[in-house]
Amino acid sequence: MIQKNLKNLAYLFYPKNIDNILDKENYLKTFEYKNLTNTLNEFSNYLESDFYIKIIDEIKNIDHLKNITDVTVSNWEDRCISLEIDVLRDSTLNKICIHISFLVPLYLIYILENEIELNPYKWKTVPMHNPEKEQSIFLEEIKTISCIIEKQTGFNKFPIQLANETIPNINFQDIEMGEFNFFNAFFLNQNKL
């Protein structure tokens, strides 16, 4: 049921059967694309919003989560607030990734990890999703951050198992038809889950 509802919500922002890559002119004229851009424009000042300020302040009050960075790229039509918290353990950089959707009352939290060298700083591996750490090492942090987001926004956690499920007949920017998924629809183009 939630899958069907999410799909119907996505169809409000992305036109069916009009390819953004092959038919950009018509795509940009659709009701759905205009609805998307209007909705994103409503959140152009999110940095000044009360809920955003309170979320950042509450997370920064947690000693080991002070290293929080806003990595939202509004001019690329990101569909969410994107926050990252770096937690370094030995030679592993763990990123707690937080996405709060502008389009639906949902948020998502997950862990990316990669091996690094500190002197000189460089990545030894590409960041990869680590669901085991979400259920163990970072479980309490995720619960705490979730409580903060839910208290300040009233949003629910996005069902992560649906993130990579494709939505038929729609696409956006450089994502081809048949590859556009729920994560792309409500959060970002780049999906590391």
Side-chain angles (χ1 to χ4, degrees), residues 34-87:
K34 289 177 183 175
N35 189 30
L36 174 69
T37 58
N38 289 338
T39 303
L40 295 178
N41 286 337
E42 288 177 21
F43 287 96
S44 62
N45 292 328
Y46 76 91
L47 291 168
E48 300 166 9
S49 68
D50 191 45
F51 80 89
Y52 176 82
I53 293 166
K54 287 180 179 175
I55 288 170
I56 297 299
D57 287 346
E58 286 190 46
I59 291 173
K60 282 185 174 181
N61 281 333
I62 303 167
D63 284 336
H64 62 287
L65 300 181
K66 290 186 182 302
N67 193 13
I68 187 168
T69 306
D70 189 321
V71 294
T72 308
V73 186
S74 299
N75 60 341
W76 285 4
E77 295 179 305
D78 282 1
R79 277 81 67 208
C80 67
I81 296 169
S82 292
L83 305 169
E84 292 180 352
I85 302 169
D86 291 343
V87 180

Side-chain angles (χ1 to χ4, degrees), residues 15 21 26 34 36 41 48 66 68 71 77 81 92 95 121 126 142 155 160 163-167 186:
I21 298 167
N26 283 328
K34 289 177 183 175
L36 174 69
N41 286 337
E48 300 166 9
K66 290 186 182 302
I68 187 168
V71 294
E77 295 179 305
I81 296 169
T92 302
K95 285 191 178 291
Y121 179 81
V126 175
I142 290 172
F155 287 14
I160 199 164
N164 290 314
E165 186 170 321
T166 58
I167 307 170
F186 301 123

Side-chain angles (χ1 to χ4, degrees), residues 93-179:
L93 177 61
N94 301 278
K95 285 191 178 291
I96 303 173
C97 301
I98 305 163
H99 304 300
I100 305 169
S101 181
F102 292 136
L103 304 182
V104 291
L106 297 169
Y107 70 94
L108 185 59
I109 303 174
Y110 57 94
I111 303 296
L112 294 179
E113 70 171 8
N114 65 303
E115 298 298 315
I116 62 168
E117 282 184 21
L118 291 175
N119 195 12
Y121 179 81
K122 69 178 180 177
W123 286 5
K124 292 171 72 176
T125 61
V126 175
M128 300 283 293
H129 180 219
N130 188 327
E132 287 111 32
K133 283 188 173 181
E134 295 163 9
Q135 298 302 315
S136 58
I137 297 169
F138 290 101
L139 181 61
E140 288 308 311
E141 287 86 350
I142 290 172
K143 284 181 181 178
T144 300
I145 294 166
S146 293
C147 286
I148 292 168
I149 293 169
E150 290 172 15
K151 180 177 77 174
Q152 295 303 330
T153 64
F155 287 14
N156 293 312
K157 191 178 268 188
F158 183 83
I160 199 164
Q161 69 275 12
L162 294 179
N164 290 314
E165 186 170 321
T166 58
I167 307 170
N169 308 320
I170 61 175
N171 74 332
F172 184 64
Q173 293 179 347
D174 60 350
I175 303 171
E176 295 182 18
M177 290 275 190
E179 294 180 12

